[in-house]
Amino acid sequence: EGTSAVPSITSVAMSASYSLPNRPHHRLRHPSTNDDTFGTFPEICTRRYRFPQAPIFLLFGEHRGAHRGYGFRHIHAQRFPQIAQIADAIPHVAGIVAGMIARGSSIHCEFASVTREVPLVIRQPNRVLVLEHRISRGTDFYSVRTFYEEAAGKQKNKGD
């Protein structure tokens, strides 16, 4: 069953041969499996939308400012700037993402946007992971857009 506790990342270390990513579309590795897939999003069909089953990736991403960006770089800059070294921040952020993508987490659609993009939200108590459906070279996947924590009592269930 899913848990809201942040997994401990004490045993993850970067090997000397590991090169830090420098491209936004570089896929980061799951801290437990060392695979570039953090999970599989299930197929969900509604009257207006169809979300296909597809892998979930944490991309290196970009941070373009407050509430503007996606992936590891955006989460690191917005939520964990106190972790100065990227090599230290990658396993921390990857551990949080891995912990959020778990059985028992609820999935919601954010329909507040009128654009073609419909962000998908994985919720645990006081924690939110936002995913975006993307297609690259004809292949569907979900990209982690951002992560944030909510103050107790401020939870919303958009899309319910």
Side-chain angles (χ1 to χ4, degrees), residues 51-100:
F51 300 102
Q53 177 177 313
I56 301 169
F57 300 123
L58 173 59
L59 302 178
F60 188 62
E62 295 179 310
H63 178 67
R64 295 178 289 242
H67 309 292
R68 295 182 52 225
Y70 68 95
F72 161 77
R73 292 212 40 203
H74 182 61
I75 296 169
H76 176 222
Q78 283 289 122
R79 308 293 172 221
F80 306 104
Q82 72 278 12
I83 304 175
Q85 299 297 315
I86 288 178
D88 295 330
I90 287 175
H92 182 76
V93 171
I96 289 171
V97 170
M100 289 289 298

Side-chain angles (χ1 to χ4, degrees), residues 29-49:
R29 300 256 171 215
H30 188 290
S32 299
T33 66
N34 201 34
D35 190 55
D36 65 357
T37 301
F38 277 71
T40 301
F41 193 87
E43 179 178 43
I44 298 175
C45 296
T46 69
R47 278 190 264 176
R48 292 183 55 198
Y49 296 97

Side-chain angles (χ1 to χ4, degrees), residues 1-9 12 29-33 37-39 56 58 75 80 90-106 122-131 144 146-149:
E1 295 287 292
T3 177
S4 62
V6 175
S8 174
I9 310 296
V12 175
R29 300 256 171 215
H30 188 290
S32 299
T33 66
T37 301
F38 277 71
I56 301 169
L58 173 59
I75 296 169
F80 306 104
I90 287 175
H92 182 76
V93 171
I96 289 171
V97 170
M100 289 289 298
I101 300 171
R103 193 176 298 251
S105 296
S106 60
I122 295 179
R123 279 189 185 278
Q124 290 181 354
N126 300 327
R127 300 165 63 109
V128 177
L129 185 72
V130 180
L131 305 178
V144 174
T146 194
F147 162 83
Y148 59 93
E149 295 179 321

